[in-house]
Structure formats: structure tokens, C-alpha cells
């Protein structure tokens, strides 16, 4: 499968082991089962020496068994959704009592830094920037309760929304202002987006946030010379306070959100169970429910393709 994630286990003596799964989308849901079930998924997924880079890693987990530290990130899943993020973290911390649980905003580079390896190994600095399209209010991409997207406000008078399926627009630097000049306006934005930027050109001040990982997140100030850049991490409420144009529609971040996350986790466990070798729903062609294919190895519901290192 194409949704790839590295999993790193740091043993009590400080040595680490590298694994790879092909089921990165929703990998945060697997963490709700606690440490033991996650570790039980790993035998057979060992991938020493092949670290997914910034463009290929759609998720990642690190378990430091000695220090009881859990680090993770994902491009998709409840932890990247405005309505569910707080509930997701609450449930994960409950499943990992005594552990420090932390999100990684710079993805695979931070995984390598934690174990003392050079983060540049997973950088893709020569790749072209993928400009995110600026969307009109009636775009189909913005429909539904969790449309995602990047809300961009300019001073107190303008609001735009970009797609979140491309590079974060903050990586464009000041050239972003030129693109916004003719961008569709949104008046006020009440969408449940998962990222945002607030620009104050007069003061040359920028604040930005994201619920998913973004390559080189902590190096954004280098792309905006002469500007003051604040990284608000996942604190979207800082954006609400900075602009009168962004105010997400009210949502239940409590019991309702927890119930929705647990339901989704149960559905994922059911699909994982069906994908195990020998299950009657997995036929000889390797097809499993939902149109997914299981080529290569499957271990406790974490299928992974036999992809050779490049």
C-alpha cells in the first residue's frame, strides 16, 4: 500500500529499531490500544536502514521504552481534525498512563533527531514547491464537517482558503502575498480547517499553525526575511484571537468527539482483523475489504508492500 509510516522503538539500553508499515492513514487510531498491542504489531515489519523522507512519510511513531516517551505525527486521521484532535490526545494519554505524549510538527526529521541521527537524511530540499490552489467558497473540497484546508487571513479585512493537499502555503515566503492579490475571498471563515496563517503586512508579522506535520516547520522564519514569524503549533485559537475573519463553527470537543473517535478506532480494528492471512474475507488475490490490496507481508493488520529502498 502507498500510505507509509516508520515506527521506531528505542530500547532501555538506548539502541533503536526501525520498522515500516503501509497503513499510515489513521495510524493515530492504533495508539488508542496502548503500548503492548502496538509493539505486538511490529515483528516482521523490520526495515533497518530505510527511513522514509519528508515526501514519503505520511505518518510516524516513536516509542522510547526506557524513558516512556511516545512521539507521533500523521498527515491524516482524527488527530489532524479540528473537531477531534483534543479528544484524540485525551484518549491516547489515557491509554498510555505514565508516558509523555508529544506531536511532531517536523515529521521524520524529528524522529531521526530523537535517536541522534542527522535529520538532513530525510530532507527533500531539491524538490519543487507544490503550490496549494486557492479555493472559492463554493468549492466541493470545502464541503462536509471536516473539509480541512488552510485559512489565510490578511490584517483585519481579508480571508482566503487554500487546499491542504499540497505544501503548506507558509513555505512560499512573501511571494504568497502576490498570489493572494487575486485569490477568491471568503468574507468570514467558519470552516473546520486544519491549518492557518495570519498575515499583517504593515507590521511584517506572521503567525501560523497546523494540525498535521509540515517539512521544515521550524525553519519557516528563514523563508520570510525581515518578518517576525510565530509558530503557534496546533493552537488555532491564537489565530481566532488575531483575526476577526476566522471563527470555526461551534463543535463538541468532549463526549461526542470521544465517541466518534472510538467508533472510528473500532472500525479500523475490524478491517485489520479481516486483513489477517487466513481470514475468509481475504481471498487468494490478496484483496481485503474497502478495495485495499495486501501485497507482501501482513502482520496483525498492518499490511506493508515489499517496496525496495531507492
Amino acid at each position: 500500500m502507498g500510505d507509509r509510516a516508520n515506527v521506531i522503538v528505542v530500547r532501555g539500553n538506548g539502541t533503536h529499531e526501525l520498522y515500516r508499515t503501509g497503513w499510515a492513514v489513521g495510524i493515530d487510531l492504533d495508539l488508542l490500544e496502548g503500548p503492548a498491542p502496538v509493539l505486538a504489531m511490529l515483528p516482521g515489519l523490520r526495515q533497518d536502514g530505510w527511513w522514509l523522507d519528508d515526501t514519503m512519510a505520511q505518518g510516524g511513531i516513536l516509542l522510547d521504552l526506557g524513558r516512556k516517551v511516545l512521539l507521533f505525527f500523521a498527515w491524516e486521521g482524527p488527530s489532524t481534525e479540528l473537531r477531534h484532535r483534543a479528544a484524540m490526545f485525551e484518549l491516547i494519554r489515557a491509554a498510555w498512563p505514565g508516558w509523555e505524549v508529544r506531536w511532531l510538527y517536523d515529521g521524520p526529521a524529528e524522529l531521526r533527531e530523537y535517536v541522534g541521527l542527522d535529520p538532513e537524511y530525510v530532507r527533500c530540499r531539491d524538490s519543487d514547491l507544490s503550490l496549494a490552489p486557492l479555493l472559492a467558497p463554493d468549492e466541493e473540497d470545502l464541503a462536509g464537517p471536516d473539509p480541512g484546508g488552510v485559512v489565510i487571513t490578511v490584517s483585519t479585512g481579508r480571508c482566503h482558503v487554500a487546499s491542504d493537499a499540497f505544501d503548506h502555503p507558509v513555505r512560499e515566503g512573501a511571494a504568497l502575498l502576490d498570489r493572494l492579490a487575486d485569490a477568491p475571498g471568503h468574507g468570514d471563515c467558519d470552516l473546520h480547517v486544519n491549518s492557518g496563517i495570519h498575515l499583517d503586512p504593515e507590521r511584517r508579522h506572521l503567525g501560523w499553525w497546523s494540525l498535521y506535520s509540515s517539512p521544515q516547520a521550524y525553519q519557516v522564519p528563514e523563508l520570510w526575511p525581515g518578518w517576525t514569524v510565530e509558530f503557534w503549533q496546533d493552537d488555532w485559537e491564537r489565530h481566532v484571537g488575531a483575526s476577526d475573519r476566522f471563527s470555526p463553527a461551534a463543535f463538541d470537543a468532549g463526549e461526542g468527539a470521544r465517541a466518534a473517535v472510538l467508533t472510528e478506532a473500532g472500525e479500523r480494528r475490524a478491517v485489520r482483523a479481516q486483513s489477517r492471512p487466513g481470514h475468509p474475507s481475504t481471498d487468494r488475490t490478496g484483496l481485503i475489504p474497502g478495495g485495499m490490496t495486501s501485497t507482501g507481508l501482513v502482520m496483525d493488520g498492518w499490511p506493508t508492500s515489499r517496496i525496495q529502498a531507492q
Side-chain angles (χ1 to χ4, degrees), residues 211-235:
L211 303 187
Y212 53 87
S213 69
S214 180
Q216 305 171 50
Y218 297 103
Q219 297 171 321
V220 166
E222 300 172 13
L223 305 174
W224 292 80
W227 284 63
T228 299
V229 176
E230 291 187 79
F231 183 25
W232 296 331
Q233 297 190 342
D234 64 351
D235 192 354

Side-chain angles (χ1 to χ4, degrees), residues 29 32 78 84 87-88 91 255-271:
L29 291 165
L32 298 180
H84 299 133
M88 189 70 184
L91 290 168
E255 189 57 39
R258 289 190 291 272
V261 168
L262 291 173
T263 296
E264 191 171 349
E267 293 170 351
R268 181 175 172 89
R269 282 195 301 272
V271 173

Side-chain angles (χ1 to χ4, degrees), residues 91-267:
L91 290 168
I92 290 174
R93 290 189 171 104
W96 296 70
W99 285 65
E100 176 188 353
V101 178
R102 195 163 77 239
W103 181 263
L104 299 179
Y105 291 92
D106 196 7
E110 289 189 270
L111 291 175
R112 284 181 60 86
E113 284 182 313
Y114 188 91
V115 296
L117 298 177
D118 183 6
E120 286 297 318
Y121 182 85
V122 293
R123 294 294 191 204
C124 297
R125 296 192 183 275
D126 295 332
S127 60
D128 294 332
L129 194 67
S130 298
L131 298 181
L134 295 161
L135 307 175
D138 59 353
E139 294 273 0
E140 184 178 349
D141 289 352
L142 299 180
D146 298 297
V150 185
V151 59
I152 307 171
T153 55
V154 183
S155 298
T156 59
R158 292 164 53 199
C159 178
H160 310 280
V161 178
S163 169
D164 64 349
F166 299 80
D167 286 322
H168 197 296
V170 78
R171 295 183 59 193
E172 297 178 38
L176 174 62
L177 291 169
D178 295 330
R179 284 220 298 142
L180 294 177
D182 300 319
H186 281 251
D188 298 329
C189 179
D190 64 355
L191 298 173
H192 294 151
V193 295
N194 52 17
S195 188
I197 306 171
H198 179 64
L199 295 159
D200 186 339
E202 184 175 343
R203 296 174 53 226
R204 296 175 71 83
H205 183 277
L206 178 156
W208 72 287
W209 60 278
S210 180
L211 303 187
Y212 53 87
S213 69
S214 180
Q216 305 171 50
Y218 297 103
Q219 297 171 321
V220 166
E222 300 172 13
L223 305 174
W224 292 80
W227 284 63
T228 299
V229 176
E230 291 187 79
F231 183 25
W232 296 331
Q233 297 190 342
D234 64 351
D235 192 354
W236 56 271
E237 292 178 297
R238 292 279 299 275
H239 194 166
V240 173
S243 171
D244 60 358
R245 295 292 182 177
F246 174 48
S247 182
F251 57 90
D252 177 9
E255 189 57 39
R258 289 190 291 272
V261 168
L262 291 173
T263 296
E264 191 171 349
E267 293 170 351

Side-chain angles (χ1 to χ4, degrees), residues 276-300:
R276 293 191 182 107
H279 191 279
S281 64
T282 303
D283 65 23
R284 292 182 181 179
T285 67
L287 294 177
I288 56 179
M292 295 181 290
T293 61
S294 177
T295 58
L297 180 66
V298 179
M299 172 57 66
D300 276 351

